Amino acid sequence: MPVASTQTDVKSGEALDGVGALGEDDQPPDETTVVVALVAILVVAAALRLRGLGDDSLWANEILSFRRATAPLSDAYELLRAGTHPPLFSQAVLRPWLSLGESEFMHRLPSAVFGVLTVAFTYLLGRRTFGWRVGLAAAALLAVLPLHVYYSREGRMYALLALLVTLWVGSLLRAHRSNSVGAWVIYTVLGAAILYTHYYAGLTVAVVVGTTGVAYMTTSVEAEQRRRWLISSAAIAVLFLPWMPSFVHQYRESSSTLPGRPIGELPALITRFFTGFVNVPYNVKALIFLAIAALSVLLVIAGRRATRTKDSDLFPLTVMAAAVVGTILFAVLISLVKPILFVRYFVGLLPMCCILLAAGAVTARTRVVGFAAYGVLFVVSVACVIPVLTDSWRPDFGDVGERIAADAPEDTVVLMVGPNENNIALSGFDHYNDADIPVRMIDSAEGSAAVADAVAGLETEPSRVWLLQYTTMQTFETPEGFDVAHEERYDSRFFERRFPMRLTLLESVP
């Protein structure tokens, strides 16, 4: 798509002052109505992200962030190098924040705040580039988007990533319009912050910088603006250089064996933008793809129509489309060598996805088709976000830990039964094992006598044995000299599957 020059853009002003990037009249009939609508959207966004925020236990990855944020500063660097992520979220956000409190709610609250802020800035970015209707429609969709809600309720870096990517793209568009030194400095700092938040964002940074470079080299952009863009983009890499040795170390030493999704699952991955981890029928997934395709076609038609409008600047559309489509294609190419198709890595693209889809709906000549396609995505999102709020999505290791600690003599032992490669169970319970009760892992594949054999192999016979089974509900032989005194069942979701746990108390018989 052609990109209008800076001179044209400055002359016509920002989209807020008249014509949007696709040539739509952007003067709202009543600014108060727009403000009221935005406030309502933000209230809904906050309610969805804050409701029951601390109810579920922390899970393994959240616990990793917790440990990195609460470790002594003298140990933090080596702990970070031993991981697989850059330091910004755990050190710049969680470390000072958790000094105020370490509950599950406090751990996740920054993500919830980042999520609501992203909805607000999605409105601003959508309005500033495509008009107030697009801004409101995009913010409304992101507010209820299950995947964004899900990761706005998790104590990890993904909600921050989405916010920073949104701000960074906005800073690029602002620098493109004004060409001021201050705007380019903000663009540089935010770009580096993205890289310090998640390595995967490097794909988006590379695509956006490359797209901007092509646009600047093939259009009538002033030499001064091209030079400032080049210096600012190079400065992003320079700011990341201090951490580069740690990144190389992490890449070489990573012990992660978690496989990414194969390329053939890319369509299913994209549908999760609108379904989260709620399983839906195949026909619903097909409907999602049909709606996305329809809105994409409508957006392309609107873009081509806008090329005939002298005052339309298609640079924002070009950058956002390249960021979304280019990042996905880049990930697919890399996955030919090393699978990296994890849906959570695409959370940073969700705000721009919503803006582009809303632009396709609002700017369509055939509004019925555009609104129908947008409506499908919105309705599916609302339906799937309900389980995100009403179900338990994390293994209940907190409740299990409290239950065991409340009634545990000194010689109590915990036997955890499950597939040993599923380290989430051990790391999750270990965080809540405040009583430091001895834990022994048992492979569920060892057979029905595995528990009895484990008890017989203990150095001293305990008076109580807590048997914690996770993801397997098979029946085991009761050890000789013990009776079943109590049993509880816990059932939660964990990504695409259920995560059942059963806690059984075995008491020695006098």
Side-chain angles (χ1 to χ4, degrees), residues 124-402:
L124 292 175
L125 182 58
R127 175 167 184 170
R128 197 168 282 271
T129 53
F130 299 117
W132 66 274
R133 295 181 182 88
V134 172
L136 287 178
L141 181 58
L142 186 65
V144 300
L145 204 66
L147 194 67
H148 192 260
V149 172
Y150 187 93
Y151 282 106
S152 295
R153 296 168 58 82
E154 181 174 274
R156 296 284 280 167
M157 72 289 292
Y158 302 108
L160 174 61
L161 176 63
L163 175 60
L164 289 177
V165 170
T166 305
L167 293 174
W168 181 63
V169 171
S171 71
L172 171 60
L173 301 183
R174 183 180 182 86
H176 171 74
R177 287 192 299 268
S178 67
N179 194 34
S180 66
V181 173
W184 286 115
V185 169
I186 294 173
Y187 160 80
T188 299
V189 172
L190 288 174
I194 291 173
L195 297 181
Y196 277 100
T197 301
H198 201 287
Y199 296 131
Y200 193 87
L203 303 183
T204 303
V205 171
V207 169
V208 170
V209 170
T211 300
T212 305
V214 171
Y216 277 13
M217 298 302 173
T218 57
T219 56
S220 56
V221 176
E222 291 182 349
E224 178 68 14
Q225 179 163 357
R226 190 180 295 114
R227 183 178 66 85
R228 288 181 177 177
W229 162 79
L230 185 60
I231 293 173
S232 300
S233 298
I236 293 175
V238 171
L239 289 176
F240 188 70
L241 281 179
W243 187 254
M244 182 60 71
S246 298
F247 166 68
V248 174
H249 172 81
Q250 289 175 332
Y251 181 80
R252 290 176 175 173
E253 302 297 327
S254 174
S255 60
S256 175
T257 58
L258 186 65
R261 299 290 186 180
I263 294 175
E265 291 193 25
L266 180 62
L269 182 146
I270 293 176
T271 61
R272 294 207 178 279
F273 291 2
F274 307 92
T275 64
F277 298 104
V278 178
N279 292 317
V280 298
Y282 175 80
N283 57 353
V284 174
K285 295 179 181 179
L287 194 60
I288 292 173
F289 261 100
L290 183 61
I292 293 174
L295 291 173
S296 299
V297 170
L298 292 173
L299 184 60
V300 170
I301 293 173
R304 290 179 63 86
R305 187 173 68 244
T307 60
R308 298 189 293 269
T309 304
K310 182 174 62 175
D311 290 334
S312 289
D313 179 13
L314 295 187
F315 183 77
L317 177 60
T318 303
V319 167
M320 291 188 195
V324 174
V325 178
T327 300
I328 294 175
L329 292 180
F330 207 162
V332 167
L333 289 176
I334 294 178
S335 292
L336 294 174
V337 179
K338 180 180 178 60
I340 59 170
L341 292 180
F342 298 96
V343 69
R344 59 182 178 271
Y345 291 175
F346 291 101
V347 172
L349 303 178
L350 296 180
M352 284 179 291
C353 284
C354 291
I355 292 173
L356 293 174
L357 293 171
V362 171
T363 61
R365 285 281 180 86
T366 53
R367 291 285 177 87
V368 173
V369 176
F371 289 169
Y374 173 88
V376 165
L377 299 179
F378 190 85
V379 170
V380 170
S381 296
V382 170
C384 291
V385 82
I386 294 174
V388 173
L389 303 180
T390 56
D391 284 7
S392 175
W393 284 86
R394 302 299 181 207
D396 299 314
F397 290 119
D399 291 342
V400 169
E402 290 180 4

Side-chain angles (χ1 to χ4, degrees), residues 10 18 45 85-86 92 102 119 143 181 190 192 219 235 250 269 288 326 342 372 403 429 439 474 489 497:
V10 172
H85 294 293
E102 298 182 353
V119 174
V181 173
L190 288 174
T219 56
Q250 289 175 332
L269 182 146
I288 292 173
F342 298 96
R403 178 70 180 90
F429 179 73
V439 178
Q474 64 195 89
R489 183 183 174 97
R497 66 185 188 275

Side-chain angles (χ1 to χ4, degrees), residues 468-483:
L468 178 58
Q469 297 173 250
Y470 60 95
T471 72
T472 175
M473 294 294 106
Q474 64 195 89
T475 301
F476 292 94
E477 296 176 6
T478 302
E480 185 177 352
F482 286 83
D483 282 335

